[in-house]
Amino acid sequence: MITRPNHVPERLAHLPTSAADPFLTEELLRGEQVHGGIDLAKVVDPLPEGDARWSVEPIRGLVEDAMFEFREERTRADAWLAPRLHATLRLTRREAADKRLWNHIALAVAPDYVAWRHLSEPTAKRPERRIAPERFRGAADRQCFSRLWWAAELFRNGADYEPVETACGNQDLIHTVLRMELIDHRPTAQALVRLLRNEQVATGRGIFGLSVAINAAGATLVYDVLAPDEPRDPARLRDWIAEAGSAPPVERHALPKGPDEDPAPEESVAALTDYFADLFETAPVRGRSSAERPA
């Protein structure tokens, strides 16, 4: 397994995809050898000086702790890292939509974590262990770090990251649901988490069947009408981001606090939970088990 590059930058930067591609070598994708870091540092676009959010050290600390803590069960690292990455890297959605930032984190700051988390195990059909390139510079729902940040952003309930732990503890949920446009509706996200907690949806096939049903129903039903949400106060997010320089490191054994925003309205979450449970009862789910049939 590869280790961290010899040269890890002190500050985050933007790494254009075209500049990142030459560093995605076969040796890296097989988890055998990482670049030295010096040459990559020459092709990045620096971020503004004086912004504490761009310090690399807190992110390196998180990934190193995750690799140690979850060394026996790598997939469990997602639920631990997602809320802490989000609370450490305080971004606006516009900033988080810039793939160049995630390219830099994955290739310059923590390629060893990407390899540790996503190096595939050999199978009969694929005997060679390999990391998919999109884990370094792919779409938001596939790239190693952006998928966790966006999962935390979409599933947090105001300042509460506990729903993020539940969502990211289920690989099928974050793989399937992050592609749904409706997930940006906060009561929808919280209703899905509640169905998981209640064990009304328990398998990957069930999650996929429910997501198809939710998208199909959303074509004819506006969820904002059935389950209205309160508009967010952008000032609270701005204040939270502005406090990044004075915020202490996130706790390792307790969940951090997100932006001081109001949670999704409980009446809306409850209404959608019941509605989705009814949808799931009739959704076509191949191999549905009795445990997934609503009572």
Side-chain angles (χ1 to χ4, degrees), residues 34-145:
V34 71
H35 58 83
I38 294 294
D39 290 338
L40 190 148
K42 299 174 182 177
V43 297
V44 303
D45 299 324
L47 288 166
E49 294 286 342
D51 193 328
R53 295 180 299 160
W54 310 138
S55 174
V56 161
E57 189 279 328
I59 297 174
R60 274 302 317 180
L62 284 177
V63 299
E64 288 172 6
D65 287 349
M67 287 188 286
F68 177 80
E69 183 69 25
F70 301 100
R71 58 194 180 278
E72 301 297 332
E73 196 173 353
R74 294 176 298 168
T75 57
R76 289 183 56 217
D78 288 353
W80 184 89
L81 183 56
R84 291 167 176 85
L85 178 66
H86 187 275
T88 297
L89 195 53
R90 302 186 179 194
L91 304 172
T92 65
R93 289 191 173 190
R94 176 175 292 183
E95 290 170 331
D98 194 327
K99 293 181 180 180
R100 296 175 300 168
L101 178 66
W102 306 113
N103 292 344
H104 189 251
I105 294 175
L107 271 167
V109 176
D112 51 329
Y113 182 84
V114 181
W116 174 85
R117 175 62 184 85
H118 292 291
L119 186 64
S120 65
E121 295 298 330
T123 64
K125 292 184 177 180
R126 290 186 175 182
E128 184 183 72
R129 303 182 74 194
R130 190 174 178 82
I131 310 163
E134 57 264 30
R135 297 301 187 182
F136 288 99
R137 52 96 172 99
D141 64 310
R142 295 287 291 167
Q143 203 269 356
C144 177
F145 295 104

Side-chain angles (χ1 to χ4, degrees), residues 93 153-154 156 184 186 229-234 261:
R93 289 191 173 190
E153 172 67 9
L154 296 171
R156 67 180 174 87
D184 198 21
R186 296 195 305 160
D229 192 9
E230 297 295 330
R232 298 183 183 187
D233 181 357
E261 297 175 341

Side-chain angles (χ1 to χ4, degrees), residues 237-248:
L237 177 63
R238 289 196 297 266
D239 290 344
W240 185 69
I241 291 175
E243 294 166 358
S246 59

